[in-house]
Amino acid sequence: MPIPAPIISGPMAIEKDWIDYNGHLNMAYYNVLFDRCSDEAFELMGMGPNYAKERRLTIYTAEVHVCYVQELHLDHKVNVSFQLIDHDEKRLRAYQEIRHVDGWLAATSESLSLHVDMAGPKVASFPADVMAKVEAMRAIHAALPMPERAGRSIGIKRKGA
């Protein structure tokens, strides 16, 4: 199966219980949407639910940076993308976007994930078969431009500083 570049989920609906008292998608559920797309990408790299169940190896999230760009509401449908922007023998760095099905950007996420041996649990190297799939995805995604919003940090810009 060819690896898409980037991986783009099918349309996802916003669920009623995800809407907060401000009338828009609660911040926690942006991460649910990102996670559902990540699961698709991890499956393509050989690290889906069966990987955890059968091999007792999995992925843990170590760090996430989310930028909320435009509000989402109950009647919206979105697609989520996944781009693998870096990896080493134990870690994955990914960039994701949530876009309304009309194309406008709602949110971005950059994450660092760890490959974990569940027996520890402890961070562990990818097995050779999985590393080959990670490297294949990275090679295909390397042809994409580095996302402009990747590598952002949090700070307050001061006037005259």
Side-chain angles (χ1 to χ4, degrees):
M1 176 178 179
I3 300 169
I7 294 162
I8 300 177
S9 73
M12 295 186 213
I14 305 303
E15 298 182 20
K16 182 180 180 282
D17 292 341
W18 297 356
I19 301 301
D20 65 19
Y21 56 82
N22 294 313
H24 60 243
L25 184 62
N26 178 278
M27 61 183 273
Y29 295 100
Y30 286 81
N31 285 308
V32 171
L33 295 166
F34 285 127
D35 197 48
R36 288 180 177 175
C37 182
S38 291
D39 285 345
E40 292 179 33
F42 294 148
E43 184 72 43
L44 286 173
M45 290 183 279
M47 295 179 280
N50 288 337
Y51 183 68
K53 184 179 176 183
E54 296 166 8
R55 295 175 75 173
R56 306 291 300 152
L57 299 167
T58 193
I59 292 290
Y60 283 11
T61 301
E63 183 175 345
V64 177
H65 184 151
V66 177
C67 293
Y68 303 95
V69 179
Q70 190 167 337
E71 292 179 0
L72 289 170
H73 299 275
L74 181 59
D75 61 337
H76 291 161
K77 292 208 180 324
V78 299
N79 297 103
V80 183
S81 64
F82 179 99
Q83 180 179 346
L84 184 60
I85 56 176
D86 200 5
H87 77 282
D88 65 14
E89 69 278 355
K90 299 177 183 180
R91 299 174 294 183
L92 303 171
R93 179 180 168 208
Y95 174 81
Q96 295 185 267
E97 293 183 343
I98 296 175
R99 289 190 174 270
H100 186 275
V101 291
D102 290 342
W104 51 265
L105 182 65
T108 65
S109 175
E110 186 173 356
S111 62
L112 181 67
S113 300
L114 307 174
H115 184 257
V116 173
D117 180 339
M118 295 166 74
K122 63 181 178 195
V123 178
S125 296
F126 296 107
D129 61 317
V130 171
M131 180 57 97
K133 292 176 183 176
V134 169
E135 289 173 342
M137 182 177 291
R138 178 63 191 122
I140 290 167
H141 288 193
L144 296 168
M146 178 60 76
E148 181 181 325
R149 290 179 160 265
R152 294 171 59 105
S153 64
I154 296 174
I156 299 173
K157 294 181 183 176
R158 307 269 183 217
K159 291 183 180 178

